[in-house]
Amino acid sequence: DQQVKQNSPSLSVQEGRISILNCDYTNSMFDYFLWYKKYPAEGPTFLISISSIKDKNEDGRFTVFLNKSAKHLSLHIVPSQPGDSAVYFCAAHRRDAGNMLTFGGGTRLMVKP
Amino acid sequence: DAGVTQSPTHLIKTRGQQVTLRCSPKSGHDTVSWYQQALGQGPQFIFQYYEEEERQRGNFPDRFSGHQFPNYSSELNVNALLLGDSALYLCASTRTLSSTDTQYFGPGTRLTVL
């Protein structure tokens, strides 16, 4: 039972363009969502988060949008840079589960110069 | 400021053996969580330790056990290894049990079971 899904295993984008990574969830108990970035041979690195009481959070080139009614969130990267090439994981936190995170399967982003 | 460190980097074991993985949390952190990341999948929560006690546990069998030491470092033990235990094992630490505290991950230990 995958409660957090990233349906696109990979995404290729031209440098300077927008990258949009999507994530869907099924559990309405999730109250906080995060995006992590992972390079090969490194652990996941926190990128940006959003509380379920908000619909948008912005940090520099990264913006996360949350649509609670659709149980969908997305990460926008503008403009995309070659250094953004990595695997991106969407993660969700449940209000009754301490700080345990439930992760999606990841999307590999490739930004071409 | 040292981040989360894990040892060893790689490990090869055979079915039925036992393995111990180690983690040192980021400086100032007292809560450690362990995740298993199978190939092509996202990390899955195994368990979390705080004040030397297991506080939360994911859907993993009792073959997976852990320990936290007074200096906040932690061990993950897996008994009776199965082929399906081959994965990247990630350790994450946080300052507290606070639900929205950012989790910092180590580089992981790659376990291969033959």
Side-chain angles (χ1 to χ4, degrees), chain B residues 11-79:
Chain B
L11 207 46
I12 299 176
K13 292 285 187 178
T14 56
R15 278 182 301 173
Q17 284 190 311
Q18 179 263 345
V19 69
T20 297
L21 311 182
R22 295 177 176 82
C23 170
S24 290
K26 182 176 167 64
S27 178
H29 287 190
D30 60 9
T31 304
V32 173
S33 299
W34 286 92
Y35 289 81
Q36 180 196 66
Q37 185 183 6
L39 199 61
Q41 298 181 24
Q44 268 196 290
F45 178 79
I46 303 174
F47 43 52
Q48 179 183 77
Y49 277 84
Y50 173 70
E51 291 188 338
E52 301 178 48
E53 288 188 14
E54 183 182 297
R55 299 291 176 158
Q56 273 184 283
R57 190 177 183 91
N59 190 23
F60 279 81
D62 292 344
R63 297 187 297 109
F64 289 77
S65 63
H67 189 77
Q68 186 178 36
F69 299 93
N71 67 353
Y72 309 123
S73 67
S74 176
E75 286 182 351
L76 163 65
N77 300 294
V78 187
N79 294 323

Side-chain angles (χ1 to χ4, degrees), chain B residues 10-14 81 83 85-87 110-114:
Chain B
H10 294 90
L11 207 46
I12 299 176
K13 292 285 187 178
T14 56
L81 284 167
L83 296 179
D85 295 331
S86 295
R110 171 75 61 188
L111 172 65
T112 302
V113 182
L114 302 176

